Amino acid sequence: VQLQASGGGLVQAGASLRLSCLVSGGAFSNYAVGWFRQAPGKEREFVAAISWSGGSTYYPDSVKGRFTVTRMDATRSVYLQLNSLKPEDTAVYYCAARPKRPGIATAQSFHMSASYDYWGQGTLVTVSS
């Protein structure tokens, strides 16, 4: 499985961006996808995730109401819509894939980078004030 993130760029505060994550290899429906970001000098943090069916989405409080994650089977892609961007949203954004496994996947598990087996290369988002 390979993931390719794209769509980053330089924008002003208050603007919007849409990031894309193309998932190749394997059955697309077998993978939940999460987005994480890492700012310079900071640890990687969870940003959003969408379940295998697309029926459930997960966000931390820091982006809830501003970011929206969706998936489209036809394009084998997961999208992250970033609205009302702030300078503190500046980071490299990574998408990651989580295969289906037996058992119940808790909501909290989607927030954890260790739950994901495959990672893309990242796309840089820079928000100027």
Side-chain angles (χ1 to χ4, degrees), residues 18-62:
R18 189 177 81 154
L19 307 184
S20 300
C21 177
L22 174 64
V23 181
S24 57
F28 183 59
S29 60
N30 283 350
Y31 298 97
V33 175
W35 287 91
F36 293 78
R37 67 185 180 187
Q38 188 165 21
K42 295 189 176 180
E43 293 186 353
R44 186 173 297 182
E45 65 171 337
F46 171 70
V47 173
I50 189 163
S51 63
W52 298 270
S53 67
S56 297
T57 55
Y58 308 90
Y59 307 93
D61 289 343
S62 58

Side-chain angles (χ1 to χ4, degrees), residues 86-109:
K86 306 174 182 180
E88 52 264 43
D89 293 319
T90 294
V92 176
Y93 284 69
Y94 299 89
C95 58
R98 173 182 183 180
K100 279 183 183 177
R101 291 194 172 93
I104 298 174
T106 64
Q108 186 59 33
S109 69

